[in-house]
Amino acid sequence: APNLLRTDSQENIYLQADRVSNPITMFFSASDHCHVSDSLLWCQLPSDGLNREEKKNKFVYLKVNFDGFHSEERVLMVSFQSGYIFIQTDKPMYNPGDTVRFRAFLSSPSFKAVESSITIDIQNPDGVVVKQITRTRAPDGVFEETFPLSEIVNEGTWRLTAKFDHWKQNTFTSQFEVKKYVLPAFNVTLTPKKTFLKLDDSELAVEISAKYLYGELVQGTAYVVFGVQIDQEMIRLPSVKQVSNVSMHDNAENIYPDLMDINIQPHI
């Protein structure tokens, strides 16, 4: 038998009598809610008959009598968990003025799509519900909605909270961030020609490349600063290298730090 009996859901209980050669008759309680098919007993407890508003735990006593040979009794806890709601947003982060697109997937405890009535709250970082979608149904277990953010909006972590209307104690949440951000116009990459330096090396050759996000080469001048890390200390070299016409030579130029600026003391 399962450890939990979920209300409004079919729960299966397997019955087996060992070392019995002839068919036997089984008697069990809670017959209004349980049924037998071959050696399988399945029960479905209606939540309407239970006071689920109470905070204390509820239990069902299941007793099976194997025709006088043996009697088995189990105490099973009742769960009002009638399903799950999975909330998904189209992005994890939004700018003020963006439109938040989200959807909720509703499933039974066995992860099958269900059409049920739900309520969704949208809360700002202060915990204030700025929009509530009440008693809406999810066709085929999927509900989709949008929420436009104003240009002047509280930045921080926002929260989407969904709950089944017939059992609001179980809530499901998802979060998204709202803050001003600007995507980089282009990417800059520094690639050393060697992955390591020898003590007698006189130079470190590095290729610098820059491309816009849509693939075009960047025309311009780059300034590069080198440094060295010794143990946990970061040391910046005083010289600054300037590279003109970055887009030349397939958008790459060789640049070199002044290795004489690196004063590395030997460690013993």
Side-chain angles (χ1 to χ4, degrees), residues 47-61:
S47 59
D48 297 339
L50 300 172
N51 185 5
R52 56 188 177 185
E53 301 298 331
E54 290 183 350
K55 299 300 181 181
K56 61 183 181 181
N57 294 330
K58 293 178 174 56
F59 300 89
V60 168
Y61 293 88

Side-chain angles (χ1 to χ4, degrees), residues 25-205:
T25 303
M26 296 173 293
F27 303 91
F28 55 92
S29 59
S31 58
D32 292 340
H33 310 304
C34 297
H35 307 273
V36 173
S37 175
D38 295 329
S39 60
L40 189 66
L41 169 69
W42 60 272
C43 302
Q44 185 166 336
L45 297 177
S47 59
D48 297 339
L50 300 172
N51 185 5
R52 56 188 177 185
E53 301 298 331
E54 290 183 350
K55 299 300 181 181
K56 61 183 181 181
N57 294 330
K58 293 178 174 56
F59 300 89
V60 168
Y61 293 88
L62 179 65
K63 185 176 182 179
V64 180
N65 191 336
F66 292 87
D67 203 15
F69 291 98
H70 179 70
S71 179
E72 184 77 18
E73 183 174 338
R74 293 286 182 90
V75 179
L76 307 177
M77 180 179 290
V78 176
S79 171
F80 293 100
Q81 178 78 24
S82 56
Y84 303 96
I85 303 176
F86 303 94
I87 308 173
Q88 182 185 53
T89 57
D90 64 325
K91 295 190 300 184
M93 185 180 300
Y94 299 88
N95 259 319
D98 285 351
T99 297
V100 180
R101 294 175 173 82
F102 64 93
R103 55 187 174 182
F105 301 89
L106 282 62
S107 76
S108 65
S110 59
F111 298 102
K112 294 182 179 179
V114 295
E115 294 187 13
S116 185
S117 177
I118 61 172
T119 294
I120 299 178
D121 294 339
I122 302 178
Q123 300 178 3
N124 65 15
D126 298 328
V128 178
V129 177
V130 297
K131 182 177 181 179
Q132 186 177 68
I133 306 169
T134 59
R135 298 190 176 276
T136 182
R137 299 196 67 84
D140 299 324
V142 180
F143 172 77
E144 295 182 303
E145 186 59 276
T146 61
F147 174 67
L149 297 168
S150 63
E151 294 291 342
I152 302 176
V153 68
N154 288 4
E155 297 186 23
T157 302
W158 287 59
R159 185 186 299 268
L160 287 164
T161 302
K163 62 192 75 173
F164 290 102
D165 288 327
H166 65 277
W167 180 231
K168 296 186 177 181
Q169 279 76 356
N170 288 335
T171 59
F172 305 85
T173 62
S174 179
Q175 297 179 347
F176 60 90
E177 294 288 330
V178 176
K179 68 177 182 179
K180 294 180 181 178
Y181 69 96
V182 178
L183 291 174
F186 55 87
N187 292 325
V188 179
T189 304
L190 293 173
T191 306
K193 292 221 175 155
K194 296 172 62 175
T195 58
F196 62 92
L197 283 176
K198 297 180 180 179
L199 293 178
D200 56 352
D201 283 343
S202 60
E203 65 180 22
L204 168 63

